[in-house]
Amino acid sequence: MNQSDRLIDATALTQALDHFAAERDWAQFHSPKNLAMALTGEVGELNELFQWLTEQQSKELTHDPQRKQRVSEELADVLFYLVRMADVMGIDLNEAAIQKLALNSEKYPTDKSRGSSKKYDQL
């Protein structure tokens, strides 16, 4: 696979996050467990922005600049912890995404899953 075939290239972000942590001497706190917990916390903060909204209200958030900005910030936090955790664990996110996409294609064949929200073991 060449560079143009990559689905994800987090190299620059990985380096920026590593530098950010190093400047603050935070690498000592960035164990896989701590990063997983921080990631979960940030996903919780993202969920909180949608809590109690109807489906329609959640779709309309894109029209509210303030709320859209808050979603943007939480998504960035989720991304930061995800990329940092992958780096700390030595996981190539591009390879992980390619492998998982192939696995999901097998688990959810088009002819059985199109238009269905059923889990793969119920198809």
Side-chain angles (χ1 to χ4, degrees):
M1 172 177 293
N2 63 42
Q3 188 68 19
S4 64
D5 294 334
R6 294 182 65 81
L7 297 178
I8 297 171
D9 188 353
T11 305
L13 181 55
T14 298
Q15 292 170 351
L17 292 171
D18 187 53
H19 180 74
F20 185 88
E23 281 187 321
R24 290 155 179 81
D25 193 25
W26 285 355
Q28 63 182 315
F29 307 118
H30 290 181
S31 67
K33 176 197 75 75
N34 286 349
L35 290 167
M37 293 175 72
L39 176 60
T40 301
E42 294 301 336
V43 170
E45 290 180 22
L46 177 63
N47 281 335
E48 186 178 25
L49 298 175
F50 293 93
Q51 188 174 12
W52 314 120
L53 298 180
T54 65
E55 293 292 324
Q56 187 59 38
Q57 288 170 327
S58 73
K59 293 175 184 178
E60 292 169 358
L61 273 183
T62 58
H63 305 300
D64 180 339
Q66 256 187 338
R67 293 181 83 184
K68 184 176 180 179
Q69 179 61 33
R70 290 186 62 209
V71 170
S72 175
E73 291 169 3
E74 294 308 331
L75 285 171
D77 285 339
V78 168
L79 177 64
F80 293 165
Y81 280 116
L82 178 72
V83 169
R84 184 73 176 142
M85 186 172 179
D87 182 38
V88 166
M89 296 191 69
I91 293 172
D92 180 331
L93 284 173
N94 186 66
E95 188 58 35
I98 289 169
Q99 289 178 7
K100 185 62 175 172
L101 191 55
L103 179 61
N104 285 350
S105 292
E106 291 175 19
K107 290 165 62 173
Y108 295 96
T110 304
D111 61 322
K112 291 183 180 179
S113 60
R114 181 182 298 278
S116 173
S117 63
K118 291 180 182 178
K119 193 167 176 174
Y120 67 91
D121 61 352
Q122 297 175 346
L123 292 173

